[in-house]
Each structure stands twice: as structure tokens, then as C-alpha cells.
Amino acid sequence: MSLFLDALLDSSLDDSIRGVPPGTAPLRLRDVGAQGWRPAAGDMALPVLTLDEDAFAANRDLILAYARHHGVALAPHAKTPMAPQIASGLVEAGAWGATVATLQQAAVLLRAGVTRLILGNEIGGLASGKRLGALLAAHPDADLRAFADSPAAVETLAAAAQAAGRPLAVLIEVGAGRGGARDRAAVDAILAAILTHAGLLVLDGVATYEGAVATSDPAETAANIAALMDRTAEAFALVRALAPDRPLLLTAGGSAFFDMVVAGLAPVAKADGNATLVLRSGAIFFHDHGTYERALGALDARRGFACGGATAADFRPALRLWAEVLTRPEPGLAICGFGMRDASFDQDLPRPLRVHRDGVALSADGLRVTRLNDQHAFVAVPAGHNLAVGDIVEFGISHPCTCIDRWRVLFGLGADGRVRSAYRTFFG
């Protein structure tokens, strides 16, 4: 364990953190599990966001097994939880490394001892390049690869390498819909720019992101991703011609279409014989009750999850939001104590899963979140449901990437529903 992580576990929590009961004396992060808190029993200040640790571990083991089955590697995107304890644990469990989107995220993981990183984003101009260089100089053990999708991005990375005082590995980003070189001419221009910085920049492979070309039409999405994989393979051949002996990377893969990435790029890596395909899936470890529930259902519908008899339906949503019923101001309506400051709402509203009253789990059938204010959730209540003030409602969320970032601490639950760990988040 790094000194940073050890110090993190010794850091103090108090009731300024959501979830910690008022009046709790400051306690160390590593001692949270000894408190015996159960959100379903009202032991914690609500609302609170929790992680089902058994579900998370099962998801981790399943996606790692999938990667081994297909001969690919994983660098989970750390932007989803931005919890160095989690990122470090995934590497210890067998992940190749981690992915970050910003210099701040890279700095957090490097301090936590996660040194093999993919910087999966362009970072801006020369000033940002110098900041990256300073970060790398402060972490001489960093093994970082950075994206470039234009000659201007190459100049940024050259400035970083110069400031770091050592070469920097570059991945040519091919893309559509977001960042990335759009055609062969753009790739040629990037390669030419890199070659002008021999000694500073090293060609290390090709990157893309397939989620940016997805549409609401499954057939169109499949065609778009297949075309993107073809362009990525073409760019890889150009890089290989310029770096005939170097081990290279191919990298892509979110949490919705990674099967199409494997189908399109794993054969390219295998035929090359000196390349690794690295998936950057991050949300898959958390799953959800919304956007990824639908995405993995679609993955099974196209029979995309081939892994020793397992299916994508075996992934389990691991995040829960707990909130109390504050008022029943009129028939058919309950106001619960959470809102836009607590939950994701960009891709579906939270879903009521269970109602907890006096230690008993009751049905949430028919309950539906209709809208959110800053700190209020409007829940439609069907006739005949006896939801009452003080009941604790357990919600599933949609899109973990825009939910966890609202929380400074994520509490891990054991199978008994008690908090057994706590994870600090570092969203800046």
C-alpha cells in the first residue's frame, strides 16, 4: 500500500460528511466499519450513497474473466468513482492499469501508487503540456501514455516531455463524434508531427472511443462502430510501420459496446503478435438501474458477452441511494430527502427499489420518481400504497459516472447491510 493510501485510511471523518450521523466524534476512515451503521435502519444521516461491495467484487471478477477469456487487458476509467482506494484495488485484482481524463485525476492516482496510466483525453495547449511535464517530473515512476489527435496536441505533448526531462509515449487518437483524427490525412499529419520530436515522443499505439458514434438505432450504431474499428486498424498499421519492434497498444472500450471493440480489434492485436488490446471500461464495475441496465440487456440480445457461459445479465447494480420520506403533502405524492445535488439525473431518474420501516423491507411497487429539485425528490405514490413519513426508501440510480461525483465519501456495505468500509473520492 502506498504512503498516500495509508494516510488516507487514517484521515478523519466527521458529521460534515453526508451520511455520518450528527454528533459523531471524528473517526478514521479505516474505523468506519466498526460503527455498525445500517442505512436501512436509519443509523446514518440521510441521504447517503452506498456501494454493495459483494456486487462490486462480482462485477470486477466477471469483467476480468471476460478480459482473460478474450486475451485483452483492462485499464478501468477512474473518472467514474475517482476513489484511489478503488483504482488501486482493481490493479491489485488484475487490471493492467487505469485510465484518467485530466491531469488532476492523473495526479491523484500517481500519488496512490497507480503508475500505469492512459491519459484518455487531449489536454489542451502548451501551458497544459508544461503542467503534465511537471507532474511526470514529480513522479519518475509514472508509466503514462497520452492521446494526440492533431499536430497541435503533439506540440503539447512534446512540451510535456521536455518539461519532464524524459520521453513520453503517445497514442494516436482516431475518432468520430468527439475527439480523434477523422481521416487518413489527419493521422498522417499527427505521425509526421511526432517524428519531428524524435527523442521526446515515442509512438506507442492507437486509441479510440466507440461510444461517441452510438445512436438510438442499434443497426446504425453497429455499422458506425465497425467503421471506426476499421479506421483504428488502419491507423495501427501506419504506426506499426514506423515502430516495427516496439510493443504497441490498441485501446478503446466503454461499458456499453466493448464486445464490438473486441470483435473489431482483438484480431488485429493477435495478428500483430506484439500488441495489447486494452479496454477502458469503468462504469461496468458499478452497473446501474438505468442506462447500463439497458446497454447490457442489448449486449446480451446481440449475444456479445462470450465468457464461459456467463451473460451480461450476471452483472449486478452496486450503487444505492438511501433517503427518508419527508412529507406526504397530498394523495399520490411523497417528498423524499434527496435531489439533484445527490443523484444522477442526466440519463434517467433514480428508481425506488424497496421501502424500509422498523427493520422490515416492504415493496416499492408503483413508486416512481417524477422530478427532482436541488434537495427534494417528488415520488408518485399509487393508490393503496401506505408509504409514510419516516420510511426509508432505497433507490437505484442510472449512470454512475454522474452520481458518485456528488459525494466526498462512498460507503461500502456488506451482505448484512452494514457499512464495512468508506472510500474517499477526489473529484477536485
Side-chain angles (χ1 to χ4, degrees):
M1 179 180 293
S2 73
L3 293 176
F4 174 75
L5 286 178
D6 197 49
L8 186 60
L9 291 173
D10 282 332
S11 64
S12 179
L13 292 186
D14 59 29
D15 56 10
S16 67
I17 299 294
R18 278 178 295 175
V20 177
T24 299
L27 71 157
R28 298 182 304 172
L29 201 69
R30 68 170 79 245
D31 295 331
V32 167
Q35 309 308 307
W37 295 333
R38 289 181 61 237
D43 297 336
M44 305 184 74
L46 302 181
V48 67
L49 183 68
T50 63
L51 176 71
D52 180 332
E53 293 194 324
D54 290 346
F56 181 86
N59 295 343
R60 176 200 65 205
D61 293 347
L62 185 53
I63 193 64
L64 284 169
Y66 174 88
R68 289 192 300 269
H69 183 81
H70 290 278
V72 304
L74 283 170
H77 210 314
K79 70 177 175 61
T80 300
M82 266 317 294
Q85 297 157 268
I86 291 176
S88 178
L90 291 175
V91 171
E92 290 177 3
W96 175 91
T99 300
V100 293
T102 68
L103 300 188
Q104 178 263 344
Q105 293 172 9
V108 170
L109 292 201
L110 288 171
R111 288 177 64 192
V114 181
T115 55
R116 184 185 277 173
L117 298 177
I118 295 175
L119 181 49
N121 196 17
E122 276 68 34
I123 60 171
L126 295 180
S128 289
K130 292 176 182 177
R131 289 192 291 271
L132 173 57
L135 178 64
L136 295 175
H139 294 275
D141 58 342
D143 179 13
L144 182 142
R145 289 128 173 106
F147 282 16
D149 70 349
S150 68
V154 170
E155 295 306 313
T156 291
L157 298 183
Q162 189 161 18
R166 57 191 172 95
L168 176 60
V170 180
L171 299 171
I172 310 300
E173 186 187 9
V174 174
R178 198 168 71 181
R182 296 301 200 250
D183 53 31
R184 167 69 182 269
V187 172
D188 286 339
I190 298 165
L191 292 172
I194 291 172
L195 293 178
T196 67
H197 294 289
L200 283 179
L201 301 180
V202 179
L203 276 171
D204 204 61
V206 180
T208 192
Y209 173 59
E210 74 288 352
V213 301
T215 73
S216 59
D217 182 338
E220 183 180 28
T221 294
N224 289 348
I225 292 176
L228 182 60
M229 297 302 104
D230 287 345
R231 290 202 294 117
T232 303
E234 177 188 52
F236 179 80
L238 296 174
V239 172
R240 174 53 78 200
L242 293 171
D245 301 318
R246 181 175 175 84
L248 296 178
L249 292 189
L250 279 159
T251 178
S255 296
F257 306 105
F258 56 85
D259 60 316
M260 298 184 186
V261 170
V262 170
L265 296 182
V268 176
K270 183 176 180 180
D272 179 83
N274 194 22
T276 301
L277 174 57
V278 179
L279 302 180
R280 305 195 301 275
S281 314
I284 192 77
F285 296 90
F286 300 90
H287 195 16
D288 70 7
H289 287 91
T291 184
Y292 287 107
E293 179 182 59
R294 291 189 297 275
L296 295 187
L299 196 155
D300 272 343
R302 61 181 181 262
R303 299 182 179 179
F305 195 80
C307 181
T311 70
D314 293 322
F315 287 98
R316 295 154 52 189
L319 294 172
R320 298 291 188 276
L321 183 68
W322 307 78
E324 195 168 9
V325 178
L326 305 182
T327 180
R328 290 291 315 271
E330 61 188 61
L333 176 65
I335 305 296
C336 284
F338 78 93
M340 291 185 289
R341 298 187 180 200
D342 309 298
S344 48
F345 54 90
D346 57 321
Q347 298 185 42
D348 296 324
L349 294 171
R351 182 188 303 175
L353 302 176
R354 278 170 290 275
V355 176
H356 299 268
R357 180 186 300 163
D358 300 327
V360 178
L362 307 173
S363 171
D365 288 351
L367 301 182
R368 181 172 56 89
V369 178
T370 60
R371 64 188 178 97
L372 302 177
N373 288 161
D374 283 1
Q375 294 183 289
H376 295 85
F378 294 73
V379 179
V381 182
H385 198 295
N386 67 344
L387 187 69
V389 171
D391 286 347
I392 295 170
V393 185
E394 176 185 353
F395 295 86
I397 62 93
S398 178
H399 200 195
C401 301
T402 54
C403 184
I404 303 175
D405 64 349
R406 289 164 164 75
W407 295 84
R408 290 165 60 195
V409 174
L410 176 63
F411 293 92
L413 295 189
D416 61 357
R418 296 183 186 277
V419 171
R420 65 184 183 193
S421 55
Y423 303 92
R424 287 267 190 188
T425 66
F426 289 79
F427 288 98

